[in-house]
Amino acid sequence: MLASLLVMAWVVEARDPYTGGHLWRVSRYSALLAEAAGISGGALARIEIGGFLHDLGKIGIPDAILRKPDKLTDDEYAVIRTHPDVGARMLAGHPLAALVRPAVLHHHETPDGRCYPHGLAGDAIPLDGRLVGVCDAFDAMTSSRPYRKGMPIAQALDIIRSRLGSQFDRDFGAQFITLGEAGLLDHIAGHSDEAIPLQNCVMCGPTLVVRREAQAGDEVYCRSCGGEYHLEQGDDGRPHAVPTGRKGNPAALEPEADTDLISRVIQSAAARAPLEDMISANH
């Protein structure tokens, strides 16, 4: 049941070429922040899963908006703002809805009550939403988009610091800054999996996701421009993407869930607490 939700979330991510690794990064940031805040057991496991699933509702956003290479118009942004509610509706009736609904529905609420979907403020925002919201925003700031490069970590931390208590939960935001200043976020930023950095498309920037099981001789594709890359073994022992000058065919560009990564996310959460403890920790 849990795997099916994570697969849906991953497919959503795969539709947007500039969010490669976003769900994994937010899940990892969320787990680190929760641990730093003294959260453990079922609640920690629940937050780790919620971090991966927070953007589930983007499955209802049209590709023309989700994949747009320019800044969104006000009308398009209004459509994007529907994704928390869409995600919550998708979870309706699911046996695990209570486990992840707070992160899915509330990760864009802010302490000042000025954000969406319901304009909740302060402690009225569920804990999972407040915590995942910090991690989601940080990853958005430090990730590249077609119209801007990702910020350096220090700059993003300064923005969080300047908006504590307004855009970001004061306690979780301050703890996240402490993690960042200690260098404990560096191994996650710019990566799509543990110790696997995003690689650069010559046309689009850091959009190439190389999976853990990928080997020299495999091909990977830019989800933005469709460019094909051949993996060659680098001096560091890792496969490096080299452009072939060709475009991928429709079958090659079709998203395919990274079931290995999803299994590892589930195993990580399960190692913290059994599923029933995750659910009970939400009550």
Side-chain angles (χ1 to χ4, degrees), residues 2 5-7 9 23 48-57 100 104:
L2 187 54
L5 287 177
L6 270 66
V7 167
L23 302 184
E48 184 173 15
I49 294 295
F52 197 95
L53 288 172
H54 71 283
D55 273 343
L56 182 65
V100 295
V104 170

Side-chain angles (χ1 to χ4, degrees), residues 21-249:
H22 174 66
L23 302 184
W24 174 80
R25 290 191 298 273
V26 173
S27 177
R28 293 294 300 120
Y29 290 140
S30 297
L32 278 178
L33 178 54
E35 286 183 298
I39 298 169
S40 61
L44 172 56
R46 184 193 71 232
I47 288 167
E48 184 173 15
I49 294 295
F52 197 95
L53 288 172
H54 71 283
D55 273 343
L56 182 65
K58 285 187 176 178
I59 201 167
I61 305 300
D63 278 351
I65 295 176
L66 199 61
R67 298 172 61 91
K68 186 177 179 180
D70 305 308
K71 287 188 176 181
L72 299 177
T73 66
D74 289 346
D75 287 345
E76 290 166 338
Y77 185 58
V79 175
I80 287 286
R81 286 167 62 103
T82 66
H83 79 269
D85 272 326
V86 171
R89 289 198 298 272
M90 287 178 61
L91 289 169
H94 193 284
L96 301 181
L99 179 67
V100 295
R101 189 176 187 274
V104 170
L105 183 59
H106 298 298
H107 65 280
H108 282 294
E109 304 280 9
T110 56
D112 60 11
R114 299 178 65 181
C115 266
Y116 61 94
H118 300 138
L120 300 181
D123 289 343
I125 306 167
L127 179 148
D128 297 29
R130 286 182 277 134
L131 187 151
V132 172
V134 173
C135 302
D136 181 42
F138 174 80
D139 192 63
M141 288 187 279
T142 54
S143 297
S144 294
R145 303 297 294 180
Y147 47 84
R148 62 155 175 82
K149 289 185 65 175
M151 294 179 189
I153 288 175
Q155 182 181 355
L157 294 177
D158 283 342
I159 289 174
I160 292 174
R161 183 181 289 108
S162 71
R163 299 177 186 176
L164 291 176
S166 55
Q167 182 178 350
F168 302 109
D169 179 89
R170 188 172 297 279
D171 292 336
F172 288 141
Q175 288 163 335
F176 194 83
I177 291 167
T178 299
L179 289 171
E181 291 179 338
L184 298 177
L185 308 177
D186 296 5
H187 68 292
I188 302 172
H191 289 63
S192 59
D193 197 345
E194 201 71 50
I196 302 180
L198 290 165
Q199 296 197 36
N200 281 309
C201 169
V202 294
M203 296 294 293
C204 307
T207 61
L208 299 177
V209 174
V210 178
R211 297 187 181 188
R212 181 168 299 279
E213 68 272 18
Q215 300 177 351
D218 292 347
E219 274 74 45
V220 296
Y221 301 89
C222 174
R223 299 293 177 186
S224 179
C225 69
E228 180 185 79
Y229 287 76
H230 185 74
L231 295 182
E232 296 183 359
Q233 197 74 6
D235 294 338
D236 58 2
R238 297 174 178 171
H240 287 253
V242 178
T244 67
R246 297 188 294 268
K247 295 279 188 179
N249 60 43

